[in-house]
Amino acid sequence: AEKWEKANPNIAKMVHIGDASSEEDLKRAYVDAGDTMFDVIIDDASNINWHQIKTLDEMLPRLATNGFYVVEDIVSSCTDWRANMGTHRGDKVGGGPDCMTTDQGEDTILAHLMEYQRTLVGKRHKYSGRGFDLHGVTKIEMHFASALLSKEVESV
């Protein structure tokens, strides 16, 4: 990431590197950015389901209006492999054949994103009931291997 940042100085203002499972590292990225909201967040980390969920829940409130949040490799919900930790292979990402629960019985990133989607649809159709705090998300696009969450200003 640091090499890419140096090679592309006009594209990325700052690339943050840290442990996606560490609240302290996620908060440090925000502080290091000057306590300002992010225009774009791309989660291309370990692909371990609970890391992806933790990063999404921690960083989505820090996404600016008209910003975009990308979760890469959500296919980790449906299959399992050893995560690439940069210097070594880490824990398994935890996906399972139903794509909704990990091998530990926890929600996958796909299940988590679908709960966000369900909450967004419910909000649009004025369904009552409990849902996730969307933190201003107005659109969720699900693709084979990634998801894009947008905080677009809604037209009146």
Side-chain angles (χ1 to χ4, degrees), residues 1-15:
E2 290 171 332
K3 182 178 176 183
W4 185 89
E5 179 184 21
K6 287 177 185 171
N8 299 281
N10 296 324
I11 295 174
K13 184 175 179 184
M14 183 181 289
V15 174

Side-chain angles (χ1 to χ4, degrees), residues 11-62:
I11 295 174
K13 184 175 179 184
M14 183 181 289
V15 174
H16 300 277
I17 301 168
D19 180 348
S21 67
S22 166
E23 270 184 50
E24 292 78 29
D25 280 3
L26 294 170
K27 288 177 182 173
R28 180 182 44 81
Y30 182 67
V31 170
D32 288 353
D35 290 325
T36 58
M37 303 295 263
F38 292 100
D39 295 319
V40 177
I41 298 172
I42 301 172
D43 177 356
D44 185 15
S46 70
N47 304 319
I48 296 172
N49 276 273
W50 73 269
H51 288 186
Q52 292 172 305
I53 291 168
K54 184 170 197 71
T55 302
L56 178 66
D57 289 347
E58 185 70 34
M59 299 306 287
L60 190 58
R62 294 176 163 94

Side-chain angles (χ1 to χ4, degrees), residues 4 10 22 63 80 101 105 144:
W4 185 89
N10 296 324
S22 166
L63 184 66
D80 204 12
T101 53
F144 171 70

Side-chain angles (χ1 to χ4, degrees), residues 19 33 71 88 112 146:
D19 180 348
V71 184
H88 65 283
H112 202 69
S146 62

Side-chain angles (χ1 to χ4, degrees), residues 29 41 65 69 96 103 128 134 139 146:
I41 298 172
T65 300
Y69 188 109
D103 52 4
S128 61
L134 296 173
K139 184 178 181 183
S146 62

